[in-house]
Amino acid sequence: MVVCLQADKMVRLKWPLFQTLRGVFAVYKPPGIHWKRLRDTVETKLLKELNSLEQRVPRQQIRFLPSFTEGENGVETSLTVAQLPVLADHPRVKGPKFVGLKVGAGHRLDLRSSGVLVLGVGNGNQQLVHLHDRHLTKEYNIQGSFGTATEDFSDTGRLIERTTYDHITLERLERIIAVIQGIHQRALLTYSGIDLKSQEAYELASRGLLRPMHKSPPIITAIRCVHFSPPNFTLAIQCLHETQQYLRKVIHEIGLELKSSAVCTHVRRTRDGIFTVEDALVRTRWDLHSIQAAIQDSRSKVNATLGATVTSQGKTCPLGSKARRGGAGVQDPHQWGRMHTVHGF
């Protein structure tokens, strides 16, 4: 017979600790692991550590338990007061407290790529959407190798051609790079929806704030060669709306423009918007404490980015909200390799 429930002392789960998990953070994705598997691994580790935290002890209840004793009139029954735990509160009965976390991924990386991958937990998923709508640039280090061509533009694809590359010099490579950047800069002006003759276009361009208003083809905003030792070379590329396969194709097209061939040997993202390699957690740090600290450290940067405004002609407005359609048409930057050839190198 149950008489009452007694609210005994409890060791409650530290809810402020759980609240600090709401936000975005960056991890370092190694090559050869799918982004979904990485996300699931992070979520599993967080759930395991959250459920291992000290939680409240089971509630206690007062029960009158029958007891039997031998008396003059035979067996006598009496009630004994006992304090027992509520079995419904036992961990083996109620199961783990946390069974799922809403972990989302930002700009994804394919299986063969590595680098910065931004994840969101809780309302951090909504922040990922807002960051995506800001059309922030990303940076990559792309490694290539001259002399071969494959079906998928990577060094692991099926070989379709071998070519010479002794005639390729750094000067010739940089000329091709300059053509690429010029074409994509014109594309950026057009897709940003800004009147090319306006003061607004000048101010945004000088501050590096030009962004496409909507979804656009991949646009390279900056490209340079950071290592050249034929047949190997490395490009640092800053871009928008790209895929890793598109960047591999850029390497292939550069090889063709240089009267040779080239394959991409590795794609590594070094920055995704406001997150850099220094912000990204390596695999040994995918734990509750490190992720909480990373979310806290990024909170001010995320809030500043999502609240960013630009001033145009004396008026303050959200980034890109006063953009106007204008300017001449521009060719698709996808077509640069087939439409432009630099002669005389």
Side-chain angles (χ1 to χ4, degrees):
M1 181 174 74
V2 179
V3 173
C4 65
L5 293 177
Q6 177 179 335
D8 207 343
K9 292 184 179 180
M10 297 181 181
V11 182
R12 296 184 180 275
L13 178 66
K14 298 180 180 179
W15 285 104
L17 188 68
F18 176 69
Q19 294 299 320
T20 59
L21 277 176
R22 303 176 64 185
V24 295
F25 63 100
V27 297
Y28 191 89
K29 176 195 170 301
I33 179 174
H34 197 280
W35 68 267
K36 288 184 179 180
R37 181 182 171 191
L38 185 153
R39 180 199 60 189
D40 293 344
T41 299
V42 171
E43 180 178 350
T44 301
K45 286 191 173 185
L46 286 176
L47 288 172
K48 183 177 179 180
E49 293 194 42
L50 281 171
N51 286 315
S52 68
L53 294 175
E54 191 175 21
Q55 302 183 27
R56 71 179 189 182
V57 298
R59 293 170 295 169
Q60 300 294 311
Q61 60 184 355
I62 304 299
R63 296 181 67 96
F64 290 93
L65 302 179
S67 60
F68 305 96
T69 58
E70 292 288 341
E72 297 179 355
N73 300 324
V75 178
E76 296 181 355
T77 303
S78 60
L79 295 177
T80 302
V81 178
Q83 183 174 295
L84 301 174
V86 177
L87 293 181
D89 290 346
H90 195 281
R92 293 187 178 180
V93 175
K94 68 179 183 179
K97 190 173 187 65
F98 297 97
V99 294
L101 286 175
K102 190 177 181 182
V103 179
H107 298 107
R108 299 163 185 173
L109 288 167
D110 63 23
L111 184 66
R112 290 173 292 183
S113 304
S114 65
V116 181
L117 178 67
V118 182
L119 301 178
V121 183
N123 67 354
N125 289 276
Q126 190 63 32
Q127 291 178 333
L128 287 177
V129 175
H130 295 323
L131 289 172
H132 178 272
D133 293 342
R134 286 291 181 184
H135 303 285
L136 301 176
T137 60
K138 297 176 284 298
E139 292 181 1
Y140 292 84
N141 277 350
I142 313 296
Q143 297 176 7
S145 178
F146 293 117
T148 56
T150 61
E151 284 188 337
D152 63 358
F153 316 130
S154 74
D155 59 334
T156 59
R158 190 175 74 87
L159 183 66
I160 58 176
E161 183 182 29
R162 289 188 184 274
T163 57
T164 60
Y165 56 85
D166 295 340
H167 61 284
I168 299 176
T169 64
L170 178 59
E171 180 183 3
R172 292 178 175 181
L173 175 60
E174 289 180 339
R175 288 181 183 178
I176 295 298
I177 287 175
V179 171
I180 298 173
Q181 184 156 345
I183 294 172
H184 282 260
Q185 286 289 352
R186 291 192 291 273
L188 177 61
L189 286 171
T190 295
Y191 285 108
S192 65
I194 303 293
D195 186 351
L196 302 184
K197 299 179 181 179
S198 67
Q199 180 67 18
E200 181 180 17
Y202 171 78
E203 291 180 358
L204 293 177
S206 63
R207 295 167 61 185
L209 296 177
L210 276 179
R211 300 286 185 272
M213 289 300 298
H214 305 288
K215 185 64 177 177
S216 70
I219 296 178
I220 295 175
T221 57
I223 179 172
R224 61 190 178 93
C225 180
V226 295
H227 174 74
F228 183 77
S229 180
N232 301 315
F233 63 99
T234 303
L235 303 181
I237 297 180
Q238 179 177 292
C239 49
L240 295 158
H241 302 164
E242 81 298 334
T243 64
Q244 289 77 57
Q245 186 62 15
Y246 172 77
L247 297 175
R248 295 185 185 100
K249 186 178 180 181
V250 169
I251 298 297
H252 169 75
E253 296 283 358
I254 288 175
L256 295 180
E257 291 293 326
L258 290 169
K259 304 298 188 292
S260 181
S261 57
V263 293
C264 179
T265 58
H266 189 61
V267 176
R268 178 174 179 259
R269 183 191 287 164
T270 57
R271 180 178 64 81
D272 185 349
I274 58 177
F275 294 94
T276 65
V277 171
E278 288 73 21
D279 301 318
L281 301 176
V282 295
R283 191 166 196 159
T284 56
R285 298 185 60 202
W286 296 350
D287 57 81
L288 178 61
H289 176 73
S290 298
I291 291 175
Q292 285 176 316
I295 290 175
Q296 286 293 99
D297 292 342
S298 68
R299 193 154 284 160
S300 59
K301 292 193 298 184
V302 172
N303 292 337
T305 301
L306 296 182
T309 58
V310 294
T311 302
S312 173
Q313 300 176 351
K315 297 181 181 180
T316 302
C317 58
L319 196 62
S321 65
K322 283 175 63 61
R324 297 177 296 278
R325 196 70 184 173
V330 67
Q331 66 190 57
D332 188 339
H334 286 84
Q335 306 298 321
W336 69 267
R338 293 180 290 275
M339 292 186 174
H340 285 259
T341 300
V342 180
H343 299 284
F345 55 90

